[in-house]
Amino acid sequence: MTQLRLANAPSAAHPARFGGVAEAGVVVLVPLAAAALWALLHTPHGLVILLAMVAALIVPGVAAVSILRRRPRAVTPADRVTLGRVGLTGVVAAATVLVLAGSLPARTWVVAAVIGAALLLDAIDGWVARSTGTATDAGARLDMESDAALLLVLSILAAPTAGWWVLAIGAMRYVFVAASWIRPKLRGDLPYSSFRRTVAAIQGVALLVALIPIVPVPLAAASAAIALVLLAASFGRDIIALERA
């Protein structure tokens, strides 16, 4: 009987094989369902609904694949917080499609609340990683890419209000990565910088301010412009440091 129980018991490899599957499924399905419901409530056009659902899937889908490709496939408490932010990013991406299609106002309190929740999760996932002793390189990469994706979505959403130049906020990191393919020095490691972290946090707050309905449009544009100048200064500082290294 003992041998039979041992034979039927889950193997030690079981968690590594199936860990993260539930989290990957939730981070994809929840924003997809929210996007479908939101789109159905705001537009009768099937193509817009489809595009909103596709937009809601892009960032969560990439995050889910990154979780499933981990070896070992472990998901930490901080990762779950980050995945929550990823799911909210998918919802905001769906709202962005509705805004660009003219089915939703450019600035609404509901969208601003979702963005605020995403930024709050961004503020606490690092704290969760440190307090639980579960900080990992994979988690840091997931956090960084999630931040970049959220800023890109927010800059597209804010563009009809502040001006299309605001896309530079969301695109700057991706331009830097593309430049690193041509200039290998830009792939070097950078030391910790409180200035860099502060400027990164300012970007999301500035874009949120630009998307709050009661904020005057000139003030919305000014907040985004200040954030963009700071971001350009931060990237310029890092590029100089990498070139000198």
Side-chain angles (χ1 to χ4, degrees), residues 146-183:
S146 300
D147 285 347
L150 178 59
L151 285 181
L152 180 60
V153 172
L154 293 183
S155 64
I156 296 172
L157 182 58
T161 299
W164 289 100
W165 55 265
V166 82
L167 291 176
I169 292 177
M172 196 167 297
R173 181 181 180 276
Y174 296 100
V175 171
F176 178 82
V177 171
S180 71
W181 297 342
I182 302 170
R183 184 68 173 170

Side-chain angles (χ1 to χ4, degrees), residues 52 55-56 59 88-98 153:
V59 177
L88 293 176
T89 300
V91 175
V92 177
T96 301
V97 171
L98 297 177
V153 172

Side-chain angles (χ1 to χ4, degrees), residues 119-213:
L119 295 177
L120 178 62
L121 292 179
D122 182 27
I124 67 173
D125 57 2
W127 174 83
V128 171
R130 291 187 295 271
S131 63
T132 58
T134 55
T136 64
D137 290 341
R141 284 193 299 272
L142 178 65
D143 178 46
M144 180 177 62
E145 297 301 337
S146 300
D147 285 347
L150 178 59
L151 285 181
L152 180 60
V153 172
L154 293 183
S155 64
I156 296 172
L157 182 58
T161 299
W164 289 100
W165 55 265
V166 82
L167 291 176
I169 292 177
M172 196 167 297
R173 181 181 180 276
Y174 296 100
V175 171
F176 178 82
V177 171
S180 71
W181 297 342
I182 302 170
R183 184 68 173 170
K185 275 193 173 186
L186 299 182
R187 302 175 201 165
D189 294 328
L190 286 164
Y192 171 83
S193 168
S194 58
F195 176 73
R196 187 188 308 118
R197 287 180 61 87
T198 302
V199 169
I202 287 173
Q203 305 308 305
V205 174
L207 291 173
L208 172 59
V209 169
L211 290 165
I212 294 176

